[in-house]
């Protein structure tokens, strides 16, 4: 039996709900391998999600899990971590779930430096609810709510998290599963608020609406248009514009919110 099967929830019927060619399964595989490398017991892991295609992931993995309300996964996860700081708390969320409905929770969890890891699966669209444009849909790209192209500029989730106070930000693409695995492993061991933006293709909605081709072509596009940050830093800006830059963008040592909050509790108790 493949070692990854040990992490799947017993009795859960497969295949999953993700469309053929969706990149979310690749990201799930990277998470499983990262957790296995760390050797964390499954009972010490809590996976929390909101609503959306990506947020189905905790249904398939055999961890403690919370499938919460749309946009509220980070709020639930912060509560879990405060209640039991020994747990490893992982949030699985999408671009709409984290940055639109849950945008307020995202920036304030980063500001507080909540000691949780957010895996933000970015497919540039609301997949589950019909293909509406999201905060990461690139300007000019089509969605069911933007048939002539969206007029809004898109968020850079890593830059947003850094500006709000996160301790760690990184980006990977589904095409490069090995790099994704390493980024997630590093983020999971980071003290404080860590974010990994996982670029995941959506051939069913985003791909069709924008004539990006099938799943294979979308992954081939990722391969041809992805550049690591170390290589990007050596190139002139005009050769980086339009590319997906991957790697670790921000990594600092800070005191996580959980520790500061616990000190206040002890002070209030006269200890």
């Amino acid at each position: 039996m493949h070692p990854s099967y040990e992490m799947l929830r017993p009795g859960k019927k497969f295949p999953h709900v993700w469309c053929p060619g969706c990149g979310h399964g690749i990201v799930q595989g990277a998470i499983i391998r990262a957790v296995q490398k760390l050797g964390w017991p499954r009972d010490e892991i809590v996976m929390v999600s909101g609503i959306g295609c990506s947020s189905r992931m905790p249904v398939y993995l055999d961890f403690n899990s919370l499938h919460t309300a749309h946009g509220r996964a980070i709020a639930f996860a912060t509560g879990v971590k405060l209640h039991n700081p020994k747990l490893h708390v992982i949030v699985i969320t999408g671009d709409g779930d984290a940055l639109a409905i849950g945008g307020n929770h995202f920036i304030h969890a980063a500001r507080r430096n909540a000691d949780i890891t957010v895996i933000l699966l970015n497919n540039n669209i609301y997949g589950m609810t019909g293909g509406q444009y999201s905060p990461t849909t690139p300007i000019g790209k089509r969605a069911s709510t933007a048939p002539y192209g969206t007029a809004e500029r898109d968020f850079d989730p890593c830059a947003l998290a850094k500006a709000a106070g996160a301790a760690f930000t990184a980006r990977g693409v589904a095409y490069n599963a090995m790099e994704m695995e390493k980024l997630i492993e590093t983020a999971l061991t980071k003290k404080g608020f860590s974010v990994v933006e996982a670029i995941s293709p959506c051939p069913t909605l985003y791909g069709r609406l924008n004539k990006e081709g099938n799943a294979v072509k979308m992954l081939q596009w990722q391969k041809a248009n992805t550049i690591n940050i170390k290589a990007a830093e050596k190139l002139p800006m005009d050769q980086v514009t339009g590319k997906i830059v991957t790697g670790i963008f921000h990594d600092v040592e800070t005191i996580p919110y959980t520790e500061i909050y616990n000190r206040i509790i002890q002070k209030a108790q006269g200890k």
Side-chain angles (χ1 to χ4, degrees):
M1 185 173 68
H2 194 281
S4 294
Y5 290 177
E6 297 176 0
M7 295 286 181
L8 301 181
R9 194 176 295 280
K12 180 63 187 175
K13 291 183 178 179
F14 286 89
H16 44 66
V17 298
W18 296 322
C19 300
C22 173
H24 289 1
I26 298 174
V27 180
Q28 177 176 279
I31 294 171
I32 289 174
R33 293 190 297 276
V35 169
Q36 287 178 324
K37 279 186 176 179
L38 295 170
W40 289 350
R42 282 174 287 176
D43 284 345
E44 295 180 5
I45 298 171
V46 181
M47 183 168 274
V48 187
S49 68
I51 297 296
C53 298
S54 61
S55 292
R56 297 289 295 186
M57 193 180 296
V59 176
Y60 306 123
L61 298 179
D62 192 22
F63 305 136
N64 301 297
S65 61
L66 286 170
H67 194 183
T68 71
H70 208 350
R72 313 304 176 209
I74 290 176
F76 276 85
T78 302
V80 171
K81 188 69 180 181
L82 284 172
H83 177 70
N84 188 348
K86 294 180 180 179
L87 294 172
H88 306 293
V89 182
I90 305 170
V91 173
I92 301 298
T93 184
D95 40 292
D97 189 56
L99 302 175
I101 298 97
N104 207 27
H105 297 300
F106 184 82
I107 60 173
H108 288 290
R111 176 180 63 83
R112 296 187 184 105
N113 198 28
D115 194 13
I116 59 179
T117 298
V118 174
I119 311 297
L120 198 165
L121 290 90
N122 180 7
N123 60 5
N124 305 117
I125 205 163
Y126 284 89
M128 181 172 284
T129 53
Q132 299 90 345
Y133 69 86
S134 82
T136 63
T137 304
I139 188 168
K141 291 293 185 179
R142 292 185 176 86
S144 62
T145 48
Y148 303 103
T150 175
E152 299 181 10
R153 294 183 295 174
D154 51 305
F155 266 143
D156 177 337
C158 290
L160 177 64
K162 177 186 174 184
F168 179 92
T169 65
R171 178 184 299 122
V173 295
Y175 174 79
N176 194 340
M178 298 297 289
E179 182 188 43
M180 182 80 74
E181 176 186 327
K182 292 177 182 175
L183 294 173
I184 291 172
E185 181 184 359
T186 304
L188 291 176
T189 58
K190 186 70 187 178
K191 273 192 171 185
F193 191 72
S194 58
V195 177
V196 176
E197 180 190 1
I199 307 290
S200 175
C202 172
T204 301
L205 285 170
Y206 184 85
R208 288 178 181 171
L209 288 167
N210 291 286
K211 304 185 186 309
E212 303 276 339
N214 59 24
V216 174
K217 288 186 176 179
M218 291 186 75
L219 284 174
Q220 289 174 334
W221 185 91
Q222 281 194 354
K223 177 184 179 183
N225 291 279
T226 297
I227 185 169
N228 186 271
I229 187 172
K230 293 180 181 177
E233 288 172 347
K234 300 175 183 176
L235 296 174
M237 184 58 69
D238 63 329
Q239 293 185 31
V240 179
T241 301
K243 303 285 187 183
I244 301 174
V245 180
T246 63
I248 297 172
F249 300 101
H250 181 63
D251 185 2
V252 295
E253 298 298 327
T254 56
I255 303 174
Y257 177 56
T258 316
E259 289 186 21
I260 297 172
Y261 194 77
N262 192 47
R263 290 175 191 173
I264 293 173
I265 292 174
Q266 292 189 357
K267 187 177 180 180
Q269 293 175 339
K271 295 180 180 177

